[in-house]
Amino acid sequence: YTAQFNHGGFFNALFGQSYSLWDNSFAQGGIANTGLDSGLDTTRSDYVARATYQPNSTYKFSSRFRFDSDTFAVKRTELETSANFDRWSVSLLYGDYAAQPDIGFLDERRGLLGSGSVKLNANWVLRGSVLYDLKLNKLASDSIGVAYVNDCLILGLNYITSYSYGTGSPVLNNTVMLQLSLRTLGDSSVSQAVGTNANSH
């Protein structure tokens, strides 16, 4: 369901489930087990729901959910708010995700992701983000990057620092990632670790 308002506003709601009538590629896994624990790897998928409200061209509020197809237990929750001011944009995302052991996530994940960007000119964008782990109550990662954007593609270079916590000081893992997104074909990325070190803060 979608309702359009004046001044660029709209409300959109979706609830659904998909059915696999023939071979289900999500159930095959492959080298990286892509698709497993996704909710799409069974003949009858998990339920999904989404609601988005944008009162005008500046603000937008979204919620996204995934429910178990048998028990209706919540397996994924995302609550997001964003705002666009001329050249600036900011967003805050709360995410809560059930464990996905088949792809390496053994425990529930819950966190806050804050991000922002500024248009330097018609094609160049400077952007950054911070991810906070609400289960550990600690910083999980931060990133800064620059991207070239046009009608056909997005080409970005990002510097990412992730934090691993043990019994001692946090270990910083630094990565440089080159990202290419083609508007009609999807995206791909290449990353290279540039150093790992302990940090006392």
Side-chain angles (χ1 to χ4, degrees):
Y1 174 79
T2 299
Q4 300 283 348
F5 308 135
N6 294 329
H7 309 294
F10 71 90
F11 172 77
N12 171 267
L14 173 146
F15 181 84
Q17 183 183 51
S18 63
Y19 293 82
S20 179
L21 301 179
W22 292 280
D23 290 337
N24 187 347
S25 60
F26 291 100
Q28 305 306 314
I31 296 175
N33 283 344
T34 302
L36 300 185
D37 283 332
S38 66
L40 294 169
D41 50 335
T42 54
T43 301
R44 184 169 55 93
S45 78
D46 286 346
Y47 297 102
V48 293
R50 180 190 67 220
T52 301
Y53 173 57
Q54 180 174 303
N56 50 48
S57 59
T58 301
Y59 301 101
K60 184 163 72 172
F61 308 92
S62 301
S63 61
R64 297 176 289 272
F65 302 92
R66 175 183 152 201
F67 305 95
D68 187 273
S69 59
D70 296 319
T71 66
F72 219 71
V74 180
K75 291 182 142 184
R76 179 179 289 252
T77 300
E78 290 183 342
L79 304 174
E80 183 177 16
T81 181
S82 61
N84 292 284
F85 307 99
D86 192 22
R87 297 185 302 120
W88 293 84
S89 66
V90 293
S91 68
L92 181 65
L93 170 68
Y94 166 81
D96 190 333
Y97 311 99
Q100 296 173 282
D102 287 338
I103 57 173
F105 297 110
L106 303 181
D107 301 308
E108 177 195 11
R109 293 158 291 150
R110 185 166 62 248
L112 280 174
L113 175 65
S115 59
S117 66
V118 57
K119 290 184 178 180
L120 303 177
N121 57 36
N123 295 107
W124 288 95
V125 178
L126 180 67
R127 56 192 182 185
S129 67
V130 175
L131 175 62
Y132 189 81
D133 190 319
L134 292 174
K135 294 202 72 178
L136 295 177
N137 285 324
K138 293 180 179 179
L139 185 65
S141 69
D142 54 60
S143 70
I144 187 168
V146 63
Y148 176 82
V149 182
N150 64 24
D151 292 338
C152 300
L153 62 84
I154 301 174
L155 181 64
L157 183 66
N158 304 292
Y159 184 83
I160 304 166
T161 301
S162 57
Y163 300 80
S164 300
Y165 297 95
T167 56
S169 300
V171 176
L172 276 61
N173 303 291
N174 302 302
T175 305
V176 173
M177 181 174 69
L178 180 65
Q179 181 180 20
L180 173 64
S181 300
L182 301 176
R183 293 293 178 94
T184 57
L185 298 177
D187 57 49
S188 62
S189 63
V190 177
S191 62
Q192 174 64 51
V194 293
T196 302
N197 62 291
N199 193 307
S200 59
H201 71 273

